Amino acid sequence: MQATQEKVGAMSTKSRNVREYEGVLSAALSDRDLRSMYEQSSAVRPAIDYVSETVGNLSWQILPKGNKEVESFFMEPNKDGDDIGSIITQVITDWMVVNRCSVEKVRDRGGKLAEVLIRNPSEIRVKYDEFGKIESYRRTIDGISYEEEYGREDMIFQVFMKSSWKKFGTSILQTIANEVIALLFSTHHIGKTFTSDEIPPGILLLDRLSRPERERFEKKKERDKDQGDLDLRLKVLWGIKDGRWLDLKKSFKDVQMLELRQDIEKIVFRNVGVLPLEMGLSDKTGKTTAREQMVISIRRLSTLKRRIENLFNKFIIPDLVGNADVTFNLRLRKEDGDIPFSDLRSMVADGLLTANEARYELGYDEKEGGDVLYPPRGNTGIPVSVT
């Protein structure tokens, strides 16, 4: 009877742990939590800053060249001292942290676009009409009595990774948090050692005991293990003269914590899209070549570059020039050395770069029709325009 009760108790403990795990995993983090995670993590902050600053530092141009009014606006997009690189960096950071950005469009008395200002997306509330379409925006600042209404044309509100089942999608940091929580629960005995008396690293050496004494000792160990649902069994060697405690010089816990930290860093880097080498860590695999690293970097930059280009060309350029055929373009470049011609040619053929992006790296002028991203070689389909 007692064994049955112990078994039921152990099962209920496991069920409770599973429910607790599922509850934590399914709970959405608030914007404040996500920002704290960004500001306080030595893995998250450098990774996101590296990506946002890399794209923000790309050179840019207005096509066709010679449009001084548009170029002047992007040289000084507001009176706060921001350049367009700073605007881009803030947009990408907000995208990656809270999965959305908001940019206010300030107009002069004549209704012409005069400035763009980055706003905290957590302060923006979206108002929808009866058909579920965005009607207007309202900015509310917590802690002070301030509210301001914006029309659709006066606020750029963009969700980075949308989903059909969630209005504002899921932040990259939420995904990272879910995976880290899963990792921590899978190694939950580490947390146990921080909240209860842990067995010090070592082995208990015992002299000969009578059979009844030894059986009572083993049963007590099993009960202690089952109550906590943790594998904290004491390591025992029997039949040792002059029984004593044998200390182990290196704690397995220390090794395990180091491995856990490395696992968390891998989770962060993979989700943000950076390489360990870019974060100043050595790549132990030894399989990543310089060209593969460059391709990964360019692929990531190309995706963000096009998102920024689409943002500006759709919401800012028309306010400056109307329906004129003018576009904002970011230019990929490599500052630490030239990219071999053969690599550039392969990247164009593989659909990673446009012909004009490759020509730019080589120092050549653009050619007509060169801003087209072709499908990877071996595939068929209509070329996709970059702009």
Side-chain angles (χ1 to χ4, degrees):
M1 184 68 179
Q2 182 179 0
T4 303
Q5 291 177 345
E6 291 178 353
K7 185 175 182 180
V8 171
M11 290 176 63
S12 63
T13 301
K14 292 180 181 179
S15 299
R16 185 171 63 253
N17 289 341
V18 170
R19 289 197 300 272
E20 180 185 358
Y21 163 70
E22 291 176 343
V24 172
L25 193 60
S26 61
L29 298 177
S30 67
D31 286 357
R32 179 175 296 180
D33 293 332
L34 295 171
R35 286 198 172 91
S36 296
M37 184 176 172
Y38 163 72
E39 292 171 351
Q40 298 175 16
S41 171
S42 61
V44 172
R45 177 70 185 265
I48 290 180
D49 286 354
Y50 178 83
V51 172
S52 61
E53 290 174 5
T54 299
V55 180
N57 287 327
L58 293 177
S59 61
W60 59 272
Q61 62 179 358
I62 303 298
L63 297 176
K65 296 178 179 179
N67 194 317
K68 300 299 182 183
E69 180 182 0
V70 178
E71 290 177 355
S72 176
F73 178 86
F74 280 95
M75 288 289 292
E76 189 179 1
N78 57 48
K79 306 301 181 185
D80 292 345
D82 292 326
D83 58 18
I84 200 61
S86 174
I87 297 292
I88 292 172
T89 299
Q90 293 176 73
V91 166
I92 293 178
T93 300
D94 283 343
W95 270 346
M96 290 192 160
V97 175
V98 296
N99 201 47
R100 60 195 189 277
C101 73
S102 56
V103 184
E104 179 185 352
K105 296 194 283 188
V106 181
R107 304 180 186 276
D108 59 21
R109 293 182 178 179
K112 187 177 181 180
L113 183 62
E115 293 182 273
V116 290
L117 299 169
I118 298 293
R119 296 304 186 192
N120 182 354
S122 303
E123 299 172 352
I124 305 301
R125 304 292 181 265
V126 184
K127 182 180 179 181
Y128 298 92
D129 62 17
E130 57 181 326
F131 303 105
K133 295 183 179 180
I134 295 177
E135 187 176 84
S136 61
Y137 301 95
R138 185 176 76 254
R139 183 181 176 212
T140 304
I141 301 179
D142 294 335
I144 64 175
S145 179
Y146 177 88
E147 282 193 6
E148 187 172 353
E149 295 284 340
Y150 297 90
R152 289 185 58 183
E153 68 281 357
D154 295 324
M155 178 68 69
I156 304 172
F157 186 84
Q158 284 282 293
V159 177
F160 184 45
M161 299 297 290
K162 292 185 177 181
S163 60
S164 60
W165 61 90
K166 200 173 181 183
K167 236 171 229 182
F168 297 146
T170 301
S171 167
I172 291 175
L173 293 193
Q174 176 71 66
T175 303
I176 291 173
N178 289 345
E179 193 169 354
V180 170
I181 289 170
L183 176 65
L184 291 176
F185 268 92
S186 68
T187 55
H188 56 288
H189 56 282
I190 296 178
K192 182 69 175 179
T193 63
F194 296 147
T195 57
S196 63
D197 294 334
E198 66 173 305
I199 299 174
I203 301 174
L204 180 60
L205 307 180
L206 291 179
D207 205 340
R208 291 182 177 87
L209 295 178
S210 67
R211 177 169 292 183
E213 290 174 332
R214 182 167 177 171
E215 288 177 352
R216 285 197 299 272
F217 183 82
E218 294 291 349
K219 286 180 180 179
K220 186 179 185 308
K221 282 201 325 177
E222 290 299 321
R223 285 198 301 271
D224 292 344
K225 181 187 71 173
D226 290 339
Q227 285 178 355
D229 194 28
L230 297 170
D231 189 6
L232 294 177
R233 288 175 296 180
L234 190 65
K235 307 303 178 186
V236 180
L237 288 181
W238 301 91
I240 306 298
K241 188 178 180 180
D242 299 329
R244 64 191 182 279
W245 178 258
L246 178 63
D247 281 319
L248 299 179
K249 293 184 177 179
K250 190 164 187 178
S251 170
F252 178 72
K253 180 189 72 175
D254 296 335
V255 177
Q256 204 165 31
M257 287 302 298
L258 177 60
E259 292 176 350
L260 181 62
R261 178 189 176 93
Q262 293 171 346
D263 288 339
I264 292 175
E265 288 175 344
K266 289 177 183 177
I267 291 172
V268 172
F269 298 161
R270 183 177 67 251
N271 280 277
V272 175
V274 297
L275 300 171
L277 286 176
E278 293 174 318
M279 294 293 97
L281 302 176
S282 61
D283 186 359
K284 296 181 179 180
T285 62
K287 297 178 181 178
T288 306
T289 66
R291 181 183 182 279
E292 288 170 337
Q293 293 173 17
M294 180 175 57
V295 169
I296 292 171
S297 178
I298 288 180
R299 182 185 293 120
R300 180 190 65 241
L301 295 183
S302 296
T303 300
L304 289 171
K305 152 184 139 55
R306 293 186 180 102
R307 290 295 299 268
I308 292 294
E309 287 173 342
N310 291 336
L311 185 74
F312 290 169
N313 289 326
K314 182 177 181 180
F315 297 104
I316 295 180
I317 292 292
D319 280 323
L320 298 174
V321 298
N323 295 324
D325 189 15
V326 176
T327 58
F328 172 88
N329 287 76
L330 287 170
R331 312 301 306 181
L332 290 172
R333 69 178 187 272
K334 186 173 175 64
E335 297 180 344
D336 57 348
D338 296 330
I339 304 176
F341 173 77
S342 59
D343 287 341
L344 288 172
R345 183 171 58 183
S346 296
M347 290 177 194
V348 173
D350 290 338
L352 296 175
L353 296 179
T354 66
N356 280 339
E357 287 171 338
R359 291 174 66 84
Y360 175 81
E361 299 292 343
L362 295 170
Y364 298 153
D365 292 333
E366 296 182 343
K367 66 176 184 178
E368 186 177 354
D371 288 321
V372 175
L373 189 66
Y374 290 92
R377 50 189 166 187
N379 296 336
T380 58
I382 300 174
V384 181
S385 172
V386 175
T387 56

